[in-house]
Amino acid sequence: MGGGTEYRVYRVGEDEPVRRVDAAGRHEQAVPGAAVRRVERRKGSRGSRVRRWLLVLVVLAVVATAGVLVWLYGREMPANFAAAYDLAQSSGRVPEWALVGLPAAALTILAVVSAYLAFGRSLFIKSFGLLVVITTLVAPGLALGWVNGTVSTVGDRSTEVKATVEKVRRELRPALPSKPVNILLIGTDKREEIGDHGRSDTQILLRLDPETKSISMLSVPRDLRIEIPGVGFDKMNVAYTYGGAAGAVRAFSTLTGLPINHYVETDFGGFARVVNILGGVYVPVDRRYYNPPESSWKSINQLPGYQLLDGQHALDLARFRHDQQGDFNRMRRQQLILTEMQRQSGRWSGDWRKVVRLIKAITAQTTSDIDSLGRIKPLAELVFQVNTSKVNTVHMEGATPMIDGISYVVPSQADIDRAVAEFTQPRRAPEAVNSKTKGPAVTKSMYPVRVYNGSGIDGLATSAATQLSELGYVAEVGPDVPEFPETVTTIYAPEDLSVQAEVLATLFSPSVVKVVTRTPGVVDGISVFIASSFTGSLAVTPPEEPAQTLQKAADYAVSEWKTLAGKTPLPLMRPTVWCSGSTYEEFYRYRINTTAGRRVNAAVAVAKTAKGGYWGIQAIRWLNPPAIANPSGSKTVNGRRYLLFYQGSRLHMVAWRKKGTLYWVVNTLDNELSNDVIMGIATSFKRVK
C-alpha cells in the first residue's frame, strides 16, 4: 500500500465518512459538513417526533369533540345539522353553493396546514397551523351542538312537561307531506290559587297551506257551549280545566272535525315577553279603549291610531272584551295582532341575536310538541312558502242564550260548517292583481253551471238548478254522485271563472271553491257538487242596507278637519263622500317612532257605523311602515295608485302615497263596510285647506 493511501472512517449506519487518516496514521482530517449533517439528522429525528405528536393531538381533539357532542346531544345531531342547513337555505340567507363550497374550502385549509405540519420547519407556524386545524374541525360541531341544545329544549324542560307533551301527542295527528298543517295556539289564564287548574283564555287554529300558499286563522269563543266527555255541557275554555292541553285539542278537533297536527301553549306573561323581544308590534288601533283603574274590569287606556305596542299594551288590547260584541270582537283583535306580528317578521328574522333570544323565551314560556330542529324544519319551510299577503281570518259565531243563568255562545251546525269551510278554503280576493282597466264582463249566460247531487237526498240538485235558472244562470242537472266524500258543497271552476264561482259560493253557503286546471275533454263552465250542508234553498243576497250606500258629503265635518290640520304639520286629506249611518267619533294627532328610530307626525280620524263598528282614516309621515308590507294587489284610479289589502274576499284597507305622506282608509274589525264603499271613500279624498 503506497504512501498516498488513506483510510476513511465511517459511523455505523451512515454513508458519509466522518474523517480521513493516512496509512501511517500521522495525519487525520475531518470531513467538512459531516457534523452539520449529523446535527440536522438529529433535528430531523426530533422533528419527526414533533410531527407525530401534533398529528396525534389533532386526532385526539377530533375524537374528543365528536364524543362530547354525541354524549351531549345524541344521535339527532346529524339530522339537526341537515335541518339547520335546510332552514337557513330556505330563508334565502345561505347560497346554494354553500353546502359544497364551505366544506371544500375547509378541506383545502386542512390539506395545506397538514402538509406544512408534515414538511415545514418553523415550530411557531406549525403551532399556529395546529390551532387552525383544531378550530376548523371543532368549531362547527360546537356551534351545531349549541343550536341543537337551545332549540331541542322547547316544550321539553322537565319530567312533568314531558309527560304533558306525550299526553297531548296522543290527541294529535301527523301532518301529511305537501298537505296543510294545523297548529292549535292555546293561551291560558292560570291564577295563583290553590286548586285552580286554569282555563284556555284563547284558542286559535293556525293553518299553513302549501297548495294555496296561504295562512288561515280560526278562532272560537271561549264561552262556546260544548259537551265535555265525563263532565257534561260547559264552556269551551273549561275543556282545558278538566283535561289540560290534551282536553283543549280534543275539544277543538271534535267541534270542527279538523285534525290538529301540532300545538303551542303559553300564558299571558309568555305572550308579552315574546312581543317585547320582537321589539313590540305595530298595530292600527281602531278606537280608544278605556277602563279606569278603579273599574271592576281590567284597566286599559289605549289611544287610537297606528302605533308601536309593547308586550303589556298588546296583551291588554288582545284581552279587552267589554264592548258591544264582547268575545267576538276580542277574537278579531287577537287575530289582528297575530296577523301584524306575522307581517312584521322581517323586522327581526335577520337578527340572529334576537332569534336566539326569541327561542329561549319560547323555551321558557311555552309548552309544545314542536321541540326539535327536525320538527321545526317542515313548519319553517311552509312559512317560507306561504304568501304573506294571503292571510285569512275566520271566527265562529252563534246565538248567545242564557242557559241555567249562564251566558253561552251556541252555534248551529251551519255556523260551524261555514266557519270550517272559510278556514280550509279561504275566499280569493276579487282584485288580487294589479289593474288599470277592466276587460269585458263575464255574464251569467256566458257559461254553464252543472249541478251534481252528492248529498244522498233526492231532488236537491234539481231544486238547486231550478233556483239558479230563475236567477239567470244557465243551469243543468248532472247525474247523482253518491260517492262524493265531502260534507260541504264544493264548487269547481277554472281560473278565469273563479270570481263567478265565489259569487255562487255565497248562494250555497256554507260551501268551498276549488280552482282547477282546464284539461282536454273536460266540459267548460262551473260544476257544483251538492253535499248534505245544502238546505235546499239558495241564500239569495238581500239588497244593500242603507248604511252601505255612499253619499256626497263635501262639507261633512269640514270644521273638525280644519281644526286637526291646524294642530299638525301633516298635509291632511279628507273624504268628500260618506257612508250613510257613520259618524266621526274622534280626531287625534300624535307622533310615532319608526323602525329606523325616527319620530314622525301622524293623525287619525275615527268613524263609527250604525252597528257600532269603528273604521278609520290615517295619515302618517312614514312611506313604508309594516302596515303596507305585502299588499294583496293594487289599482290605479285617475292616475293615483292605490294599494289594496284583502282579508279573504273582503277589502280591509286601501292605502296611497302623495307628496311624502302615506294615507289609508281601514275597515272595521269585522269588515262591515262593503268593498265598493271603502274603495269609494278612499278615491274621493282631497286636501284639507
Side-chain angles (χ1 to χ4, degrees), residues 532-583:
S532 57
S533 63
F534 181 55
T535 62
S537 299
L538 297 182
V540 180
T541 305
E544 286 280 315
E545 298 179 11
Q548 289 289 294
T549 60
L550 281 177
Q551 299 176 344
K552 292 183 178 180
D555 297 325
Y556 179 52
V558 64
S559 60
E560 288 87 344
W561 276 106
K562 288 183 177 180
T563 299
L564 180 63
K567 297 178 180 179
T568 177
L570 287 170
L572 293 182
M573 299 183 73
R574 64 180 182 87
T576 56
V577 299
W578 194 246
C579 177
S580 59
S582 291
T583 56

Side-chain angles (χ1 to χ4, degrees), residues 1-7 20-27:
M1 187 176 294
T5 303
E6 67 176 10
Y7 297 94
R20 297 185 181 91
V21 183
D22 61 16
R26 291 189 295 268
H27 298 286

Side-chain angles (χ1 to χ4, degrees), residues 71-117:
W71 175 65
L72 288 175
Y73 307 113
R75 297 178 181 178
E76 286 190 356
M77 189 177 62
N80 283 344
F81 171 77
Y85 174 79
D86 288 343
L87 288 177
Q89 194 174 54
S90 298
S91 69
R93 300 183 183 279
V94 177
E96 294 184 0
W97 53 261
L99 186 60
V100 176
L102 293 180
L107 288 175
T108 301
I109 294 173
L110 291 176
V112 172
V113 174
S114 298
Y116 193 88
L117 288 175

Side-chain angles (χ1 to χ4, degrees), residues 190-197:
K190 295 182 180 179
R191 299 165 188 172
E192 297 183 0
E193 300 175 5
I194 298 176
D196 181 21
H197 300 289

Side-chain angles (χ1 to χ4, degrees), residues 309-380:
L309 302 182
D310 61 19
Q312 187 58 53
H313 285 88
L315 178 61
D316 291 344
L317 187 64
R319 296 190 65 192
F320 186 87
R321 61 185 305 215
H322 304 292
D323 56 14
Q324 284 183 319
Q325 298 199 43
D327 211 25
F328 298 128
N329 268 348
R330 181 174 174 274
M331 291 188 299
R332 297 178 184 116
R333 279 186 289 271
Q334 291 171 353
Q335 291 178 338
L336 170 66
I337 292 173
L338 288 178
T339 299
E340 293 304 315
M341 289 176 67
Q342 186 276 335
R343 189 198 302 275
Q344 297 166 42
S345 60
R347 290 174 48 218
W348 52 267
S349 59
D351 187 342
W352 283 103
R353 292 172 299 178
K354 192 169 288 186
V355 170
V356 170
R357 289 178 59 205
L358 180 62
I359 289 174
K360 291 182 177 180
I362 291 175
T363 300
Q365 303 295 332
T366 70
T367 304
S368 174
D369 69 300
I370 310 169
D371 54 8
S372 70
L373 277 173
R375 291 190 175 97
I376 290 175
K377 174 192 169 186
L379 298 180

Side-chain angles (χ1 to χ4, degrees), residues 428-430 433 439-444 446-448 491-504 513-519 522-527:
R428 293 157 51 87
V433 294
V442 179
T443 63
K444 298 175 183 178
M446 296 174 66
Y447 58 89
I491 300 171
Y492 296 90
E495 179 72 30
D496 54 357
L497 291 177
S498 60
V499 174
Q500 288 72 23
E502 293 288 353
V503 175
L504 275 172
V513 174
K514 293 188 177 181
V515 177
V516 295
T517 303
R518 183 176 288 154
T519 56
V522 176
V523 179
D524 293 342
I526 296 176
S527 298

